[in-house]
Amino acid sequence: MGAAMETFYSVIRRQGITRRSFHKFCSLTATSLGLEPLAADRIANALETKPRVPVIWMHGLECTCCSESFIRSAHPLAKDAVLSMISLDYDDTIMAAAGHQAEAILKETRAKHKGQYILAVEGNPPLNEGGMFCIDGGKPFLEKLKMMADDAMAIIAWGACASWGCVQAAKPNPTQATPIDKVITNKPIIKVPGCPPIAEVMTGVITFITTFGKLPELDRHGRPKMFYSQRIHDKCYRRSHFDAGQFVEEWDDEAARKGYCLYKMGCKGPTTYNACSTVRWNGGVSFPIQSGHGCIGCSEDGFWDKGSFYDRLTNIKQFGIEKNADQIGVAAAAAVGAAVAVHAAMTAVKRLASKRADANQDR
């Protein structure tokens, strides 16, 4: 626990990292977070002077896919985030301690770092039967979650499970699995949804809080705007095919081989806010749409109950099969000409009616 008082800079210097490399790291971090170049100096100053933030990582009803994603982060590496940037004091999935030793860490963190630690939650609590569907350390996870949330600085809801409920909360939801924000209402909560979230999005959120000592700007759903402000559809490399009306109609048809838009195959990109099409997965190698499968909308509320992954949710109009500039010009001119003709006809009718009205008055 004493290591929690060290700064990030002191830790990496002890590991043999040069100051030049440290400043390169700060510049890359500023870029990955979408900040202005001058922010690199602020990041460097914060990491040189501020102590590492204690983090308690708890698990409720979930499949551990968020942890699996997190440890695969490349920018920054998960090991740098865990061993240098933060003080990961508790995570029963990867920690060496177990049993009474692990439980003692929770009590010690609450006592030493009251109001200073981050509570990261993977999964959600079941409310039915007093929370007995998820027992952690001999107690309902619901009880431990509330206890640790009371003294936390902020809470991070990792993944769709903690953010929205995910498959555990899908109908008929016999355990009454519930999103974190429905249980904890007196603390700021950062939702980082996805099934799982992108690794670099997870470490990016941690980096921002560690560096600036505050929460990132959130959207109306509580998601960090730096990663959830744009639809996947807006930056998808298949967007040009959507606009041209070129769609995959069946799996492995000629259109699929040509990389046409997957919207008709159920892709939820037009209604899903996430960074998949920009940050991508596996160190920026690819993302589901690039691999040939449509987006399933896993970062949106209730995605599991919104029908099949292969059904369209909306009926978005596109421009149609592409035409050259001359064809579009002719079509536009024809439309304008038709509008002018209709307007002229309506004007003539109105004038005729006016003349007849005047003639009747003269009589």
Side-chain angles (χ1 to χ4, degrees):
M1 294 292 290
M5 302 310 295
E6 289 186 302
T7 66
F8 170 77
Y9 182 69
S10 64
V11 172
I12 65 170
R13 288 292 285 168
R14 193 173 66 247
Q15 295 173 352
I17 305 300
T18 65
R19 186 164 182 80
R20 179 184 292 273
S21 296
F22 168 69
H23 280 286
K24 284 183 178 180
F25 170 84
C26 294
S27 297
L28 288 172
T29 300
T31 302
S32 67
L33 295 177
L35 304 175
E36 69 278 4
L38 294 177
D41 292 334
R42 295 170 56 198
I43 293 175
N45 180 66
L47 296 181
E48 285 177 328
T49 58
K50 294 182 179 180
R52 294 191 297 159
V53 178
V55 174
I56 298 295
W57 191 312
M58 298 180 67
H59 297 257
L61 293 179
E62 42 87 34
C63 68
T64 320
C65 68
C66 297
S67 293
E68 291 285 352
S69 179
F70 182 79
I71 62 177
R72 286 164 176 77
S73 174
H75 308 290
L77 291 170
K79 71 178 182 65
D80 291 332
V82 172
L83 300 177
S84 303
M85 299 182 68
I86 64 174
S87 177
L88 186 58
D89 295 342
Y90 179 95
D91 185 338
D92 54 20
T93 300
I94 63 175
M95 66 193 302
H100 295 297
Q101 291 179 327
E103 294 301 303
I105 293 174
L106 294 179
K107 295 180 180 179
E108 189 175 354
T109 300
R110 289 186 68 197
K112 282 190 175 183
H113 305 288
K114 184 174 183 178
Q116 298 176 335
Y117 64 86
I118 294 174
L119 177 61
V121 183
E122 183 175 349
N124 53 47
L127 305 186
N128 200 12
E129 297 188 21
M132 295 302 292
F133 288 97
C134 184
I135 301 298
D136 182 355
K139 298 179 181 179
F141 172 70
L142 175 64
E143 180 181 328
K144 296 184 68 174
L145 172 65
K146 290 180 176 180
M147 176 186 71
M148 295 307 298
D150 282 343
D151 295 323
M153 172 180 67
I155 299 171
I156 300 177
W158 290 136
C161 297
S163 298
W164 311 126
C166 199
V167 64
Q168 296 93 301
K171 296 176 182 177
N173 191 10
T175 67
Q176 293 181 24
T178 306
I180 299 301
D181 64 321
K182 303 299 182 183
V183 176
I184 309 300
T185 58
N186 60 340
K187 294 287 181 178
I189 297 177
I190 309 168
K191 293 182 179 180
V192 187
C195 194
I198 303 171
E200 285 72 25
V201 169
M202 299 177 75
T203 53
V205 170
I206 288 285
T207 301
F208 186 94
I209 298 174
T210 301
T211 300
F212 297 104
K214 63 178 182 180
L215 307 187
E217 185 178 0
L218 307 178
D219 66 11
R220 63 190 180 92
H221 296 295
R223 303 174 297 193
K225 284 187 176 181
M226 65 177 72
F227 297 115
Y228 294 91
S229 61
Q230 290 185 318
R231 299 177 302 168
I232 292 175
H233 183 64
D234 296 331
K235 293 295 179 67
C236 180
Y237 78 101
R238 297 185 190 234
R239 174 63 185 269
S240 58
H241 295 296
F242 176 90
D243 292 341
Q246 298 173 326
F247 298 100
V248 176
E249 301 288 346
E250 295 182 4
W251 296 114
D252 203 33
D253 63 9
E254 185 62 24
R257 296 187 186 97
K258 290 181 178 179
Y260 284 2
C261 180
L262 295 163
Y263 173 65
K264 287 188 177 181
M265 303 306 293
C267 180
K268 308 302 188 294
T271 56
T272 301
Y273 290 79
N274 208 336
C276 297
S277 53
T278 51
V279 178
R280 302 187 182 184
W281 294 77
N282 300 319
V285 172
S286 184
F287 70 113
I289 295 174
Q290 186 175 342
S291 299
H293 193 285
C295 167
I296 63 174
C298 68
S299 59
E300 299 301 313
D301 188 8
F303 85 97
W304 201 266
D305 283 329
K306 288 183 177 178
S308 168
F309 294 158
Y310 305 104
D311 290 339
R312 277 188 276 173
L313 297 182
T314 54
N315 188 24
I316 299 174
K317 302 292 183 181
Q318 71 286 336
F319 297 130
I321 300 300
E322 68 263 56
K323 300 176 183 291
N324 61 38
D326 292 334
Q327 290 172 315
I328 292 175
V330 170
V336 171
V340 170
V342 171
H343 179 72
M346 293 297 297
T347 301
V349 170
K350 289 181 179 179
R351 286 178 178 174
L352 180 59
S354 178
K355 288 181 179 179
R356 288 179 177 176
D358 291 342
N360 291 333
Q361 287 180 355
D362 292 340
R363 291 176 184 176

